[in-house]
Amino acid sequence: MSDAMHDLTLTLNGQAHAIRVEARRTLADALREDCGLTGTHLGCEHGVCGACTVLMDGQPVRACLLFAVQAEGRAIRTVEGLAKGGALNPLQRAFAENHALQCGYCTPGFLMLGTAILETDPGISDEALVEALSSNLCRCTGYANIARAIRAAADAMSTEGAA
Amino acid sequence: MKPAPFAYHDPRSIEEVLDLLASLDNARLLAGGQSLMPMLNMRVAFPDHLIDLNRVEGLTGIMEEGGSIRIGAMTRQRDIEESEVIRARLPLLAEALSHVGHRQTRNRGTIGGSLCNLDPSAELVAVATALDAVLEVQGSAGIRELSIHDFPVGFMTPALAPEEMLTAIRLPVPPAGHGTAFTEFARRHGDYAIVSAAVLLVLEGSRIARASLTLGGVGAGPLRLRTAEAMLVGGAPSEATFGAAAAECAGIEAMSDPQAPAWYRRRLSAVLTRRALETAAARAAV
Ligand code: FES
Ligand code: FES
């Protein structure tokens, strides 16, 4: 079966990346292999683990369940877009301070999921937070510290906002 | 874990999709991709052509019309779950959606994709069956309507011709005085259910005027419990009536798989049916 090459421009963390890929190239692979953004991790490549979570137009999605050709014209954000000028953002700091990572494999996915939660639902209930986090797997931390870190970041950001 | 090569098609209109379906061999439609993409990645599915529905106009939206709610096939599950109309008029659908995967997968997953994938334990298939959904199917000859009860023709096989597509689903809004409930048992929240039960009860005074009971996950397709429904109608919404109806589940044909043996599915079916009946009755009463 022929699979022609597709020329696309992806908008990643606000920057345009022109790439040439086969249609079967997943967004996750395109980020890592064609754009050099290896912060997005691949755990399972079939939608189970959430390690590949990125934001598309502000919503968390699994980058292994999207083709790069489908992401053209959409705003994609990855973990590389979180720190500004080498300084960790409040959510990243909260992960470090609350011991929300050990091996770090799942962390990019949880950071992007957490980013979406903070942006769309900062006052999220504990129950809804657990439900939202259940889409991603972590084999190290036991999840409690991840939930705690997201809550801490939400609190830090609301006091900063109020100050 | 990488898909086999395919030719990618990115149509903008339903007509274009139908033309492609009519002219291409071994083509698959790509909806939200939350089931098909894993199958492509694992090479369980290897179409020669992939027709992406994500940029097709006219396949999304939720509208109330003439006693029914019409939902475009490509409407995202998350949009349905959060819709005011759905929460007010078809709470059974919103309740079931909270069990479909996770928020994150519901951002992409669609109602039409889930129905056409026809996984035996898919929550949306059970709810559509409980609510007597009508499906709008479009082909080159025009639009035909199909009852959800005639939709599954075998394991994960919908009654769609290769050149047809599902464009919308219509769900009749049950009359006032009804209550619904969705219960399921899964190993973890968000996993496919081992068994699920979708129930609709319409009460008139102290009698049950209408009952609809559907089990998901027990066999290849959703199972409507017609005998138990007939036992309920005319009876009082009491523990004894519900217990007797749920006991009917002891006789159903259930499948065995590595997740659970048939006897366990039958037992779950009875428990979940009884719980769903009690919840639906309590909701109908308020
Ligand atoms: S790599 Fe995408 S969900 Fe696991
Ligand atoms: S920190 Fe190791 S998998 Fe999450």
Side-chain angles (χ1 to χ4, degrees), chain B residues 8-275:
Chain B
Y8 177 73
H9 304 270
D10 189 20
R12 302 300 146 108
S13 68
I14 294 173
E15 290 65 38
E16 275 176 77
V17 177
L18 295 175
D19 284 347
L20 288 167
L21 283 174
S23 61
L24 301 172
D25 280 333
N26 190 22
R28 285 290 294 260
L29 298 176
L30 176 62
Q34 302 302 290
S35 300
L36 181 55
M37 285 285 302
M39 285 158 73
L40 292 169
N41 286 358
M42 293 190 278
R43 301 203 180 191
V44 179
F46 30 88
D48 291 320
H49 298 273
L50 203 58
I51 305 172
D52 189 350
L53 298 177
N54 284 280
R55 290 187 170 98
V56 175
E57 298 274 341
L59 287 177
T60 58
I62 300 167
M63 255 177 13
E64 187 159 11
E65 46 179 40
S68 287
I69 294 192
R70 183 178 184 277
I71 306 176
M74 280 296 288
T75 310
R76 307 283 167 192
Q77 292 159 3
R78 187 89 195 277
D79 293 333
I80 300 171
E81 183 188 5
E82 298 199 326
S83 149
E84 290 300 326
V85 182
I86 299 297
R87 283 173 181 271
R89 311 285 273 148
L90 295 172
L92 181 63
L93 182 55
E95 187 177 20
L97 275 166
S98 71
H99 296 275
V100 178
H102 312 275
R103 272 191 184 200
Q104 191 183 140
T105 56
R106 295 196 292 272
N107 279 333
R108 292 293 298 165
T110 64
I111 187 167
S114 177
L115 291 178
C116 291
N117 188 49
L118 264 183
D119 189 284
S121 49
E123 289 86 355
L124 291 176
V125 177
V127 166
T129 304
L131 293 176
D132 299 309
V134 175
L135 308 176
E136 291 179 17
V137 172
Q138 210 163 326
S140 40
I143 300 180
R144 70 181 171 108
E145 289 184 355
L146 185 63
S147 158
I148 185 76
H149 307 301
D150 300 323
F151 193 55
V153 290
F155 178 71
M156 294 183 82
T157 310
L160 292 174
E163 65 281 358
E164 286 183 324
M165 69 186 288
L166 174 68
T167 48
I169 163 170
R170 287 209 313 270
L171 297 160
V173 177
H178 80 274
T180 57
F182 186 89
T183 54
E184 75 168 39
F185 183 77
R187 291 284 297 277
R188 293 173 308 184
H189 184 93
D191 280 9
Y192 275 119
I194 295 175
V195 173
S196 65
V199 164
L200 160 73
L201 284 182
V202 181
L203 301 187
E204 266 170 31
S206 57
R207 298 278 146 210
I208 299 169
R210 201 176 121 200
S212 167
L213 309 181
T214 303
L215 295 174
V218 291
L223 181 64
R224 214 27 212 264
L225 300 170
R226 304 276 182 192
T227 320
E229 289 174 7
M231 289 171 62
L232 288 165
V233 173
S238 66
E239 227 170 89
T241 321
F242 294 158
E248 277 300 299
C249 296
I252 62 171
E253 217 173 288
M255 63 177 175
S256 283
D257 68 6
Q259 275 217 83
W263 67 262
Y264 185 68
R265 283 197 157 82
R266 274 194 287 271
R267 201 130 110 194
L268 273 181
S269 299
V271 172
L272 294 174
T273 301
R274 184 178 41 75
R275 285 187 195 159

